[in-house]
Amino acid sequence: DAGITQSPRHKVTETGTPVTLRCHQTENHRYMYWYRQDPGHGLRLIHYSYGVKDTDKGEVSDGYSVSRSKTEDFLLTLESATSSQTSVYFCAISAPATGLHGYTFGSGTRLTVV
Amino acid sequence: RKEVEQDPGPFNVPEGATVAFNCTYSNSASQSFFWYRQDCRKEPKLLMSVYSSGNEDGRFTAQLNRASQYISLLIRDSKLSDSATYLCVVNAMDSSYKLIFGSGTRLLVRP
């Protein structure tokens, strides 16, 4: 399997606190993505990165920011966590041509905001 | 309208049955298509790519109908271990290479 890890695996945090989730890859892939998955909505793209310091918004980016200072790390920050951000967060990586290979996902982070 | 639509199911079938899932997509320019499998509380994993000519991988057959913009997955001789959610996926056809996921179809295979 591709080398992609997410941390933490589980987190409970209080409303209003900042939270950072980490995605780490050892595949040297250029593209990295953050999704959230909620019942009835499937996987929705939050932010993605197409290189070091190159990021862009997805469809549900409000309340989230990202950073990519190294090829291998893509951080997702919830600036001030809200209960609506309780979700499962998945990071994914792809080689340049997803037309051939699709994504590989990390194991996910279960975040609960209380 | 969602970009990728699937029947959420669940499909409840006995072992050995044949089951088919369909999905429709809205972007006629999409070029890449996949089926992913997701087990409960796990990450999605690539099951198979879908090619224009149709393709088969063991008990699994995927078909693409570009004119009607739908994709199908056929599972023959269902096993208990096939119980999972199956996600239909298409590419966004922009510079992001991002993939658009359907909400998934849940399959339950009973003994």
Side-chain angles (χ1 to χ4, degrees), chain A residues 19 46-47 60-66 76-82 85 89:
Chain A
V19 177
I46 305 171
H47 282 279
V60 290
S61 59
D62 288 347
Y64 302 94
S65 62
V66 289
L76 176 71
T77 297
L78 287 66
E79 293 144 6
S80 177
T82 67
Q85 293 176 311
Y89 292 85

Side-chain angles (χ1 to χ4, degrees), chain A residues 5-105:
Chain A
T5 55
Q6 291 184 232
S7 59
R9 293 295 307 277
H10 302 272
K11 185 169 182 66
V12 179
T13 192
E14 293 186 350
T15 298
T17 61
V19 177
T20 296
L21 310 183
R22 180 182 184 232
C23 178
H24 178 78
Q25 60 141 333
T26 57
E27 302 298 311
N28 201 35
H29 284 339
R30 180 180 170 193
Y31 286 83
M32 300 184 75
Y33 306 83
W34 276 108
Y35 283 83
R36 61 178 287 174
Q37 188 173 36
D38 305 287
H41 290 281
L43 285 155
R44 293 181 291 174
L45 182 65
I46 305 171
H47 282 279
Y48 66 97
S49 170
Y50 45 97
V52 173
K53 298 192 188 317
D54 292 324
T55 65
D56 207 346
K57 296 179 179 179
E59 63 179 305
V60 290
S61 59
D62 288 347
Y64 302 94
S65 62
V66 289
S67 67
R68 192 161 177 207
S69 59
K70 299 184 289 185
T71 298
E72 56 266 36
D73 289 325
F74 192 31
L75 305 180
L76 176 71
T77 297
L78 287 66
E79 293 144 6
S80 177
T82 67
S83 58
S84 64
Q85 293 176 311
T86 292
S87 187
V88 180
Y89 292 85
F90 288 105
C91 176
I93 59 175
S94 73
T98 61
L100 295 177
H101 300 293
Y103 290 170
T104 300
F105 284 89

Side-chain angles (χ1 to χ4, degrees), chain A residues 31 33 35 37 40-43 45 48 90 96 98-103 105-107 110, chain B residues 2 32 34 36 38 41-46 49 87 91 95-99 101-103:
Chain A
Y31 286 83
Y33 306 83
Y35 283 83
Q37 188 173 36
H41 290 281
L43 285 155
L45 182 65
Y48 66 97
F90 288 105
T98 61
L100 295 177
H101 300 293
Y103 290 170
F105 284 89
S107 299
R110 293 188 173 274
Chain B
K2 289 184 178 180
S32 301
F34 308 91
Y36 275 70
Q38 186 172 24
R41 302 178 74 84
K42 298 285 190 180
E43 73 273 22
K45 292 186 178 180
L46 180 63
S49 301
L87 306 174
N91 72 325
S95 60
S96 71
Y97 293 105
K98 64 176 182 271
L99 300 180
F101 289 79
S103 297

Side-chain angles (χ1 to χ4, degrees), chain B residues 26-72:
Chain B
S26 60
N27 187 345
S28 61
S30 292
Q31 295 293 324
S32 301
F33 309 90
F34 308 91
W35 283 101
Y36 275 70
R37 170 194 169 123
Q38 186 172 24
D39 294 298
C40 187
R41 302 178 74 84
K42 298 285 190 180
E43 73 273 22
K45 292 186 178 180
L46 180 63
L47 178 67
M48 59 196 303
S49 301
V50 185
Y51 303 119
S52 296
S53 56
N55 49 298
E56 189 174 304
D57 183 1
R59 298 181 293 108
F60 298 83
T61 300
Q63 297 278 354
L64 170 64
N65 184 320
R66 287 187 184 274
S68 302
Q69 293 178 218
Y70 84 77
I71 307 157
S72 65

